[in-house]
Amino acid sequence: MTATGAAQHRVAALTAMGASLIVTFGLALTLGSVLIPLDQVATVLVGGEADRDAWETIVLDIRLPRAITAALAGAALGVAGLQMQTLFRNPLADPFTLGITSGASLGVALLTLAGAGAAGAFASGLGLGAAVGVTAAAGLGAAAVVSLVLVLAGRVRNTVTVLVVGLMVGFTTGSIVSLLIWFADPERISAFVRWGFGTFRTTTWDELRIFTPVVVVALVATALSAKVLNALLLGERYAETMGVRIRRARVGVVITASALAGTVTAFAGPIGFLGIAVPHLARALLDTNDHRVLVPASVLLGASVALLAEIVAQVPGNDVTLPINAITALIGAPVVVVVLLRASPRSFA
């Protein structure tokens, strides 16, 4: 394929991804336990009155914040996964490689398994204070682990060492969580397990005022560092010859990826699969390793896949709600395997 043909292909692919995001976002507002006609959804979004008062409440207070959360979370995890795979040059790396999930899990475990009062409120699923407490606990736990990894990332020269340290920190926090589970009451264990399934349903408009700007700023920072990511993909020695300050670049990648993954984990729980799969899908569909293209592609694909998973998890026409983590893996894993098998080898070099 010529350079012009490749450029046209990528433009067309990005356009299709954008269209898919619009479609899935619209479906997320339309489908659910109650089917709301698309024209009624559009009327509500532009400030009009729907034929039924309940539809306005469902769209504005339930489905719209949920859809925005899903889109932002998918975009954040897709881009964070792309950063981690590039930094470590490892196709199996994901946003939680550095122990972010383990740190968040430890924070929530300390609250739900060791904190009796807060745990009881959380387990009952009632009380705004409990929900805020869980979010704060997850955020603080993830931040503590990331801070430790950042200190080490600034001191060591070998990126692999950072990866191993992150994994060891994750194993350590995981063992502490296991001990807390071992001695906890069944009710508290159940509450902790439900948090571990992940969900886009609990984020409120007030929380989105924090969630949205953090994710957007981190995504913009990643897009602006696309050239640095391209250099890192070719190896640290090559990047140094191009004038890249490796330690500063490494710390910058860790900060933005951790901000993206940590924020999602704090507000939506540990959402799996998206971080490792979306970058591979983007590379395969665009047939490129250029991060100037891969970053926006990961944003669009991540948001679309997350919205699709949320639609399936809601089981349209039914009151049943499925775990979002189960859906992301169930839908996406077969697709990724097919894409990987059909893609050219250089797509993942």
Side-chain angles (χ1 to χ4, degrees), residues 224-246:
L224 294 176
S225 65
K227 291 184 178 180
V228 173
L229 291 172
N230 283 340
L232 289 175
L233 188 65
L234 299 175
E236 293 187 353
R237 290 186 179 181
Y238 178 81
E240 284 182 327
T241 64
M242 296 181 63
V244 176
R245 297 184 179 181
I246 297 300

Side-chain angles (χ1 to χ4, degrees), residues 244-313:
V244 176
R245 297 184 179 181
I246 297 300
R247 292 186 183 181
R248 179 180 297 181
R250 183 192 302 151
V251 169
V253 171
V254 171
I255 287 176
T256 51
S258 299
L260 291 168
T263 303
V264 171
T265 305
F267 286 94
I271 308 297
F273 174 78
L274 296 178
I276 191 172
V278 169
H280 287 299
L281 288 171
R283 293 189 192 96
L285 294 175
L286 295 171
D287 194 23
T288 183
N289 284 311
D290 188 349
H291 288 78
R292 293 173 297 180
V293 180
L294 288 178
V295 171
S298 296
V299 169
L300 297 173
L301 279 175
S304 296
V305 174
L307 284 166
L308 179 61
E310 173 62 21
I311 292 170
V312 175

Side-chain angles (χ1 to χ4, degrees), residues 44 46 117 185 236 261:
V44 171
V46 297
D185 296 331
E236 293 187 353

